[in-house]
Amino acid sequence: DDYRNLKMGVIFQEYNLISELTVLDNLRLVLEIQDWDEKSETTIQSMIGETLAKVGLKGYESRRINQLSGGERQRVAVARALALESDVLLLDEPFGAIDPKLRLELQELVSSLCTTHKKTVVFVTHDIDEAILLADRIVVMEPGKIRSILQVELPHPRKRDDLIGTQGYEKLHRKLIASFYEQVQDNIDAGVAL
């Protein structure tokens, strides 16, 4: 497939939702951009309801974005990307600004949804545990180049509590830490300011 023909959904660190609109209207707005004019109102309502149920927000359709918590807003952002029926999801540190408990819940939600719906996901993160939890392949980058590519051969869906302490997880975690230390040492040796 030509990548230019793929539908892309994006989830940013910032929610990028319209706070004055309801959850329903934020999702509807995205669908209108995608030429959903030929769909019936019943079909659109049903699809949005199903998508919100997947992210744990069933019954939130009439709430305004500015009435939601940060975690609920991020779930709406995830629902918006799923509603597009995207071939590829691009996630740019989407959980960086939320509390650790909710971050874990959303990581496991995304892992489960991507496994269930067979989505290709490009996930940008600086969190090693998050990368291991969500990735099948981890690309370690530094400015302008790929430093290493590591395969994650752990079964899906993944839950952090089930992974931590396992041999596969620990081995991969050590490799990633070593890669980062190697990059820092290379920068020190080259006299690059950190």
Side-chain angles (χ1 to χ4, degrees):
D1 261 277
D2 185 352
Y3 71 89
R4 291 172 288 208
N5 295 326
L6 295 174
K7 291 185 206 170
M8 306 267 184
V10 181
I11 305 171
F12 298 100
Q13 186 172 7
E14 294 295 324
Y15 316 118
N16 292 321
L17 301 168
I18 301 173
S19 61
E20 295 79 21
L21 295 180
T22 64
V23 169
L24 177 67
D25 290 337
N26 267 276
L27 279 109
R28 183 187 305 279
L29 185 63
V30 172
L31 295 176
E32 287 172 3
I33 293 168
Q34 195 177 328
D35 293 328
W36 274 62
D37 295 337
E38 68 276 1
K39 303 281 186 190
S40 72
E41 182 61 25
T42 304
T43 301
I44 291 171
Q45 293 275 0
S46 175
M47 194 279 306
I48 289 173
E50 289 172 19
T51 302
L52 289 172
K54 289 175 190 172
V55 298
L57 293 178
K58 185 176 170 110
Y60 280 61
E61 292 86 348
S62 63
R63 291 195 189 177
R64 295 201 180 282
I65 298 300
N66 58 11
Q67 297 172 320
L68 303 178
S69 70
E72 290 167 339
R73 291 177 189 189
Q74 197 59 302
R75 286 175 188 262
V76 173
V78 171
R80 180 182 54 198
L82 291 174
L84 285 171
E85 298 179 341
S86 307
D87 301 304
V88 178
L89 292 174
L90 306 172
L91 292 88
D92 184 9
E93 298 198 70
F95 310 138
I98 55 179
D99 69 78
K101 181 181 182 298
L102 184 58
R103 180 181 183 123
L104 178 59
E105 289 175 17
L106 288 173
Q107 288 168 344
E108 290 179 355
L109 172 69
V110 168
S111 176
S112 175
L113 289 172
C114 291
T115 301
T116 303
H117 299 285
K118 307 275 189 245
K119 297 287 184 190
T120 297
V121 178
V122 177
F123 196 104
V124 176
T125 184
H126 291 90
D127 183 318
I128 291 173
D129 292 325
E130 186 168 70
I132 294 171
L133 180 69
L134 297 173
D136 291 323
R137 188 175 332 147
I138 298 172
V139 179
V140 179
M141 300 186 74
E142 59 185 62
K145 69 178 188 178
I146 294 174
R147 184 161 196 85
S148 61
I149 300 174
L150 300 163
Q151 291 297 126
V152 181
E153 297 176 1
L154 300 168
H156 282 283
R158 299 180 186 140
K159 292 191 174 269
R160 185 178 305 241
D161 290 345
D162 297 340
L163 287 178
I164 293 181
T166 65
Q167 184 177 4
Y169 170 87
E170 295 299 330
K171 182 178 178 183
L172 188 54
H173 197 274
R174 282 192 303 275
K175 279 184 181 179
L176 286 165
I177 292 288
S179 178
F180 289 120
Y181 280 130
E182 182 181 308
Q183 180 180 352
V184 169
Q185 188 61 54
D186 289 351
N187 287 339
I188 291 169
D189 293 345
V192 175
L194 298 176

